[in-house]
Amino acid sequence: MAKYLQCSCPKCGDYLGIVMPERKAKFPVQVINGRCLKCGYRLPLQRRIIYSLAYIILFAVGVSFATSSLAQSGGKATLILKVTGLRSEKGQVKIAVFNSSEKWLSEQPIYSSTINVDSQTVTWRINDVPYGDYGVAVFHDENSNGKMDKNVLGIPLEPYGFSNNVRVTFGPPKWEEAKFTVKGSTVEVSIGVK
């Protein structure tokens, strides 16, 4: 069994904080360009090559790990949105998809669509949606006037809904309540309007 020693520079004896087998302990490991960090002693060529190869291997492993992480977080999916509970088969369903809390319920959705209603369920498919967090707002524009009809108090008169089927009493839901994560090949979200 090999005896373990603290590694130090063969010239200045500076302790380098490395524990290694005795047969390998005469050369420092913590070096820059093959030189001791304290006295500048240059390692023999063979050791410099070994350390250089070790750094290259560690760098390659790090790059491959980072690349695989980026590929996983940078994927794309198909998002299928189902709007259910429509009380009539007339008008249109307006859908807005948002991808940040700053844009949530603004006039700048990342995806939007207007779909003619011919049944009590409407389905919309979006391809190549980047992985991430999203929130959806929908309403059934029964009279096809292009806007959400409200009473004098500002309460909606037409059915509406949000992702995660968040129900609200005073004001719209917050981003944190409505957001969901898109990851994987296909994500299906069902929103019931009331």
Side-chain angles (χ1 to χ4, degrees):
M1 184 170 169
K3 185 178 177 184
Y4 284 77
L5 297 173
Q6 294 173 343
C7 181
S8 59
C9 175
K11 184 174 181 186
C12 70
D14 184 38
Y15 168 62
L16 299 173
I18 304 298
V19 177
M20 31 187 330
E22 184 177 9
R23 57 191 160 76
K24 297 179 182 175
K26 58 183 179 176
F27 295 108
V29 172
Q30 290 186 356
V31 293
I32 295 176
N33 293 330
R35 292 188 180 274
C36 173
L37 295 175
K38 184 176 179 184
C39 70
Y41 173 77
R42 190 161 180 82
L43 292 173
L45 180 62
Q46 180 183 4
R47 292 290 179 181
R48 289 198 311 257
I49 291 171
I50 290 171
Y51 292 138
S52 296
L53 288 174
Y55 290 133
I56 290 169
I57 290 169
L58 287 173
F59 179 75
V61 168
V63 167
S64 98
F65 177 75
T67 304
S68 69
S69 294
L70 285 172
Q72 191 173 21
S73 65
K76 293 190 176 183
T78 297
L79 178 59
I80 300 171
L81 297 171
K82 283 188 176 179
V83 181
T84 62
L86 301 174
R87 63 187 179 195
S88 68
E89 296 182 9
K90 61 183 181 179
Q92 302 168 325
V93 168
K94 296 203 173 277
I95 305 173
V97 181
F98 303 89
N99 66 346
S100 70
S101 59
E102 296 79 29
K103 293 183 179 179
W104 174 237
L105 300 180
S106 71
E107 298 293 322
Q108 302 172 345
I110 190 164
Y111 303 104
S112 63
S113 183
T114 300
I115 302 171
N116 292 326
V117 176
D118 56 6
S119 70
Q120 292 187 325
T121 300
V122 167
T123 303
W124 184 39
R125 181 186 191 100
I126 313 169
N127 295 318
D128 297 325
V129 176
Y131 288 176
D133 291 335
Y134 294 88
V136 181
V138 303
F139 81 92
H140 183 188
D141 184 10
E142 292 181 287
N143 57 11
S144 299
N145 66 354
K147 63 181 183 178
M148 166 72 81
D149 294 332
K150 300 176 182 177
N151 66 16
V152 291
L153 299 175
I155 297 171
L157 297 173
E158 294 178 304
Y160 64 93
F162 301 98
S163 44
N164 296 332
N165 285 311
V166 178
R167 297 317 301 170
V168 294
T169 50
F170 300 103
K174 295 179 180 174
W175 167 254
E176 294 299 322
E177 298 173 311
K179 76 173 183 177
F180 60 93
T181 301
V182 169
K183 191 171 185 180
S185 60
T186 303
V187 176
E188 194 169 310
V189 175
S190 181
I191 301 172
V193 295
K194 293 183 181 178

